[in-house]
Amino acid sequence: MIMLEKYADLLAPIYEFLGTSTPDSWIDEAKKPENLQRLLVDHMHCELKAAQSAAFLIRKYAVDDASAKTLLGWVKPYEDFVYRKIGDGQFSASKNELIGSLTAKPEYAYNQDILDKMVRLIKEELHHFEQVLEIIQSRGLRVQSLNASRYAAGMIKHVRTFEPAALIDKLIIGAFIEARSCERFAKLAPFLEDDLGRFYVSLLRSEARHYQDYIELAEQVAKATDPARFDVAARVAEFKDIENALISAPDEDFKFHSGAPVAA
C-alpha cells in the first residue's frame, strides 16, 4: 500500500486551505476498477483544462498580442488531439522552445510573475497530460469525450465582473482547483494499484506548488492595486464556502472533481 507519511508537511497547508475533505463516498466510487477509465480520462481532460486556464490568464493579462498567438500554438496540438481527434497522442519534444518569445506587458510588475509562474504550470500540466495519456493507452483504455463537470463552472459563476477583482477571483479559483486535485491524489493513491498510486503521489509536489503560486499571484495583484479594497484572505474564505458546497453536495456525474456520488 502507498504510504504518505513523508508528505504530511506538504499536505497540511492544503488541508487547512480547503477546510473540507473529499467525501468518503467519492473515494469508494473512485477506487472501483470499473470506474478507472472514466477517472483517468477525466484526469487527462483536467490536466489540459489546467494548462488552458493558465494560458488564458497569460494571454488576457500578461502578454502582448504576438505572444498570445505563440501561446495558442503551444496548446493547440493537445486541443486538437482531445477535441478534434487529430493526431496520435505523440507530441513534439521541441514544444517548450515556443516560450522563449513570450514577452510580458510592462503595465504591471506582476505581469512578469504571472508569465513565469503560469508558463511553468503549463509545462508541468501538459507533461502530466502526456503521462496520463500514456497510462490510458498502456492499459488499452479508450480516450473519449466527456462533458464538463459542474465544479469549476460552479466557482467561475461567482467571479466578479470588474478588474482587478476578476483576475484575483480567477487566481483564487485556480488555487482551489489545484489544492483539491492534490488532496484527492493523496486520498486516492493508497487504494489504487501500486504503479498508479505511485504516479498520483508523484504529482503531489507540483499540485501543491501550483496552489501556492496562484495564491501568491492573487496577493501580488491586490498589493499592486488596492490591498484595502481587495482583501485576498476574505475572498478566499468566500470561495472556500462555495468550493466546499460543490465538493460535498450530491452529484450524479462522477468525475475527478465531482461531489458526493449519488447511488444509481
Side-chain angles (χ1 to χ4, degrees):
M1 178 179 286
I2 301 294
M3 307 301 288
L4 294 167
E5 285 83 355
K6 68 177 182 178
Y7 294 95
D9 290 344
L10 181 146
L11 291 168
I14 295 284
Y15 297 151
E16 182 179 359
F17 177 75
L18 291 172
T20 296
S21 297
T22 288
D24 289 341
S25 59
W26 186 90
I27 299 296
D28 291 340
E29 197 69 19
K31 67 185 182 183
K32 293 179 180 177
E34 62 267 30
N35 286 329
L36 182 61
Q37 172 167 314
R38 185 170 186 83
L39 190 73
L40 286 172
V41 171
D42 190 53
H43 179 185
M44 184 188 74
H45 280 252
C46 288
E47 298 292 356
L48 177 57
K49 289 172 186 173
Q52 289 174 309
S53 296
F56 170 80
L57 290 174
I58 295 173
R59 287 166 43 222
K60 181 171 177 62
Y61 295 103
V63 298
D64 58 21
D65 290 343
S67 294
K69 291 178 181 178
T70 298
L71 199 61
L72 286 173
W74 190 16
V75 180
K76 186 176 184 298
Y78 298 85
E79 295 174 330
D80 284 343
F81 176 76
V82 170
Y83 304 130
R84 305 174 191 99
K85 312 304 181 193
I86 298 173
D88 58 2
Q90 301 297 312
F91 302 98
S92 171
S94 64
K95 59 184 180 293
N96 292 343
E97 297 173 4
L98 292 168
I99 66 175
S101 58
L102 299 179
T103 304
K105 291 190 289 189
E107 287 89 339
Y108 297 103
Y110 58 71
N111 282 346
Q112 185 64 53
D113 212 22
I114 290 177
L115 177 59
D116 292 342
K117 283 183 166 63
M118 292 298 99
V119 161
R120 180 172 66 174
L121 186 147
I122 293 169
K123 290 172 65 176
E124 292 178 346
E125 301 291 18
L126 293 181
H127 178 59
H128 297 164
F129 173 98
E130 294 178 23
Q131 289 178 299
V132 179
L133 176 59
E134 183 178 354
I135 291 170
I136 291 170
Q137 293 173 332
S138 70
R139 290 170 177 259
L141 302 176
R142 303 187 315 277
V143 175
Q144 63 196 86
S145 299
L146 295 174
N147 59 305
S149 72
R150 63 173 189 159
Y151 176 73
M155 289 189 284
I156 289 171
K157 70 181 183 181
H158 294 279
V159 170
R160 291 169 288 186
T161 57
F162 59 95
E163 299 293 358
L167 172 56
I168 291 170
D169 286 354
K170 291 169 188 173
L171 291 167
I172 291 171
I173 289 171
F176 273 103
I177 293 172
E178 297 292 336
R180 182 60 66 186
S181 297
C182 187
E183 185 254 5
R184 289 206 159 172
F185 290 150
K187 287 200 73 171
L188 184 55
F191 299 100
L192 300 173
E193 296 175 19
D194 283 352
D195 60 337
L196 191 54
R198 285 193 296 271
F199 169 64
Y200 275 1
V201 169
S202 76
L203 301 179
L204 295 180
R205 292 195 184 280
S206 59
E207 299 301 307
R209 187 179 65 255
H210 295 168
Y211 127 78
Q212 292 169 337
D213 283 348
Y214 273 119
I215 289 299
E216 288 173 4
L217 287 171
E219 291 170 345
Q220 285 182 41
V221 173
K223 183 178 180 180
T225 51
D226 188 346
R229 183 183 179 196
F230 301 111
D231 186 334
V232 172
R235 194 60 176 156
V236 165
E238 293 173 7
F239 271 107
K240 179 183 288 189
D241 290 340
I242 296 166
E243 197 272 351
N244 288 181
L246 288 165
I247 222 69
S248 302
D251 199 336
E252 295 180 353
D253 186 19
F254 177 71
K255 285 194 168 64
F256 210 95
H257 291 94
S258 55
V262 175

